[in-house]
């Protein structure tokens, strides 16, 4: 089960990084948006979710990029699904299972990072590790490095600035 979940995570993250903004929502998830969002008593009310309720895209992403990692909590609200691992990794997916944010204190696996982004980060600081990638609603990325630096990228991974 964990390997399936890890494979889902990897595929979803690659899709996230490559497609940046895929407006085509074809409903190829195991659980529908309505099933995941159902039973929320109020907008933005968080509730625990079973792993089998995760969209297939999210499961594939987890299986691919975080294989073998123990999931300790999954919560969902009307807009997001958040997954925590025993090894401090955190993922956030939209309700369809597309990755929005990945955070790994020990560094995000290189296979989970778009090559263009990785090359740019290495050109800035070859020793730095990426510990967080956050995609906003406009398709832009905020990338946090283990040295505290934050770099902003557009939807095509072109560097657009730095945050202090």
């Amino acid at each position: 089960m964990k390997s399936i979940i890890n494979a889902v995570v990897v595929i979803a993250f690659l899709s996230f990084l490559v497609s940046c903004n895929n407006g085509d929502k074809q409903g190829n998830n195991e659980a529908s948006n309505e099933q995941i969002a159902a039973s929320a008593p109020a907008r933005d009310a968080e509730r625990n979710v079973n792993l089998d309720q995760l969209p297939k895209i999210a499961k594939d992403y987890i299986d691919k990029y975080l294989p073998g990692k123990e999931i300790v909590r999954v919560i969902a609200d009307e807009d997001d699904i958040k997954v925590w691992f025993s090894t401090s990794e955190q993922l956030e997916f939209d309700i369809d299972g597309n990755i929005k944010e990945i955070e790994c204190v020990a560094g995000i696996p290189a296979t989970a990072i778009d090559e263009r982004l990785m090359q740019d980060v290495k050109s800035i600081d070859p020793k730095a590790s990426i510990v967080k990638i956050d995609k906003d609603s406009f398709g832009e990325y905020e990338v946090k490095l283990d040295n505290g630096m934050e770099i902003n990228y557009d939807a095509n991974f072109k560097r657009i600035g730095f945050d202090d």
Side-chain angles (χ1 to χ4, degrees), residues 62-79:
I62 292 168
D63 285 343
K64 184 174 182 181
Y65 293 110
L66 298 169
K69 303 283 184 171
E70 178 187 4
I71 296 173
V72 294
R73 186 169 185 207
V74 180
I75 61 168
D77 61 27
E78 193 171 274
D79 302 314

Side-chain angles (χ1 to χ4, degrees), residues 138-154:
F138 301 107
E140 294 181 347
Y141 298 88
E142 181 177 86
V143 175
K144 185 173 183 179
L145 307 181
D146 61 350
N147 63 12
M149 182 182 291
E150 293 180 11
I151 310 167
N152 297 318
Y153 294 88
D154 68 12

